[in-house]
Amino acid sequence: MSILEVNQVKKVYTTRFGSNKVMALKNVNFSIEQGEYTAIMGESGAGKTTLLNILAALDRPSSGSVILDGKDITRVKEREISEFRRDNIGFVFQDFNLLDTFSLEDNIYLPLVLAGKPYREMKERLIRLAAMLNITDILKKYPYEVSGGQKQRAAVARALITEPKLILADEPTGALDSKSSDDLLKSFREINSLGNTILMVTHSVKAASTADRILFIKDGEVFHQLYRGNNTNEQLYQKIADTLTMLQSGGAAI
């Protein structure tokens, strides 16, 4: 069953004085199944960030629809959008977006505090997530006291604690070293194995090779896609690299 359906999404930006129009997304169509782990790739300027912002309800398309669990998020009223986003979407940012004046524990609790959840429920969810993400012993520390990898795992816990229908990740390994990246990607696989739906935008071929499907965006459209099938991470890595080379050379989809 599809948890997310993107139908004929177009996004046109108008310059400040309205003299020029920029087509960021032309005609984007795809669906994501419940429990799927999908990566989105493409060159800079291809429309990945614009698409992610629309999927996160941070921006609205010029036309088209985005159906999340049966509801068109492009039609959610402005006064309701923050609550809808908090209750349905978990977002993992490249630069963590943690509050330095809050401990990691309080950063993770924040979405549930805003939702008015009781402390006992928040605590139960945190204990489970912290153990899975290996951050139990650092919860009382502040973001400036821990490593980048630990910050990102805390950010993942914050995204998951609301039990969202969709997890969106924007270059989640972009600010991490190699080991921290590997640890985070292992966590993503475990999170996905529990039935969570993940959609990740990345420039990293290694990160994308851990996903089950890769969508390639070119000139504001879904140009090509790859499925894992029986491929290992290494085999999928090579197929992704070959596809990116083809995209850069302007060749046809393979």
Side-chain angles (χ1 to χ4, degrees):
M1 183 183 76
S2 294
I3 189 72
L4 178 70
E5 297 179 15
V6 180
N7 303 309
Q8 297 181 319
V9 165
K10 179 190 292 186
K11 181 65 178 180
V12 180
Y13 291 104
T14 303
T15 56
R16 183 176 178 184
F17 298 107
S19 57
N20 293 307
K21 295 183 183 297
V22 178
M23 181 81 73
L25 297 174
K26 288 183 181 177
N27 185 33
V28 177
N29 296 276
F30 65 90
S31 62
I32 301 292
E33 299 299 308
Q34 171 69 49
E36 195 172 5
Y37 179 13
T38 304
I40 296 179
M41 302 194 78
E43 295 180 287
S44 295
K48 303 186 303 300
T49 299
T50 299
L51 177 60
L52 197 67
N53 286 340
I54 289 172
L55 299 182
L58 295 169
D59 195 3
R60 294 184 185 269
S62 302
S63 61
S65 63
V66 178
I67 312 297
L68 178 59
D69 196 28
K71 185 162 188 173
D72 188 348
I73 67 176
T74 67
R75 297 184 180 277
V76 177
K77 295 178 180 178
E78 200 65 39
R79 65 178 179 273
E80 300 170 354
I81 199 68
S82 294
E83 181 179 351
F84 177 85
R85 190 186 303 121
R86 185 184 65 231
D87 293 345
N88 293 279
I89 300 169
F91 209 113
V92 181
F93 300 89
Q94 178 178 343
D95 57 358
F96 323 127
N97 275 26
L98 298 173
L99 298 173
D100 277 337
T101 54
F102 282 23
S103 66
L104 297 183
E105 181 178 59
D106 288 339
N107 268 285
I108 296 166
Y109 277 149
L110 187 56
L112 294 186
V113 172
L114 294 173
K117 298 293 184 182
Y119 178 74
R120 173 181 278 186
E121 181 180 346
M122 294 194 299
K123 187 71 172 179
E124 288 174 354
R125 293 190 192 185
L126 177 63
I127 289 171
R128 185 177 68 252
L129 287 172
M132 181 177 69
L133 292 162
N134 194 29
I135 56 173
T136 302
D137 59 343
I138 61 168
L139 288 174
K140 299 299 183 182
K141 292 189 175 183
Y142 288 81
Y144 55 81
E145 297 179 304
V146 301
S147 70
Q150 291 169 325
K151 288 180 190 176
Q152 193 61 296
R153 291 200 298 277
V156 171
R158 181 186 57 192
L160 288 171
I161 202 163
T162 59
E163 299 178 350
K165 296 181 175 69
L166 176 66
I167 300 161
L168 299 175
D170 184 13
E171 299 284 359
T173 62
L176 304 180
D177 59 34
S178 179
K179 183 183 183 308
S180 296
S181 295
D182 289 345
D183 290 344
L184 182 70
L185 293 171
K186 286 177 184 176
S187 295
F188 270 25
R189 286 300 330 180
E190 183 176 355
I191 291 163
N192 176 244
S193 73
L194 296 173
N196 293 289
T197 307
I198 302 174
L199 183 60
M200 171 178 63
V201 166
T202 182
H203 280 100
S204 168
V205 177
K206 186 173 185 178
S209 68
T210 65
D212 294 319
R213 179 164 61 129
I214 301 93
L215 299 174
F216 297 88
I217 304 291
K218 181 179 181 181
D219 299 330
E221 297 181 276
V222 177
F223 180 72
H224 186 53
Q225 62 182 321
L226 290 173
Y227 288 89
R228 171 175 295 279
N230 295 320
N231 290 293
T232 64
N233 284 5
E234 291 74 19
Q235 290 169 328
L236 191 57
Y237 182 105
Q238 189 57 55
K239 289 190 174 185
I240 294 168
D242 291 344
T243 301
L244 289 174
T245 299
M246 174 271 298
L247 284 171
Q248 291 164 0
S249 65
I254 55 176

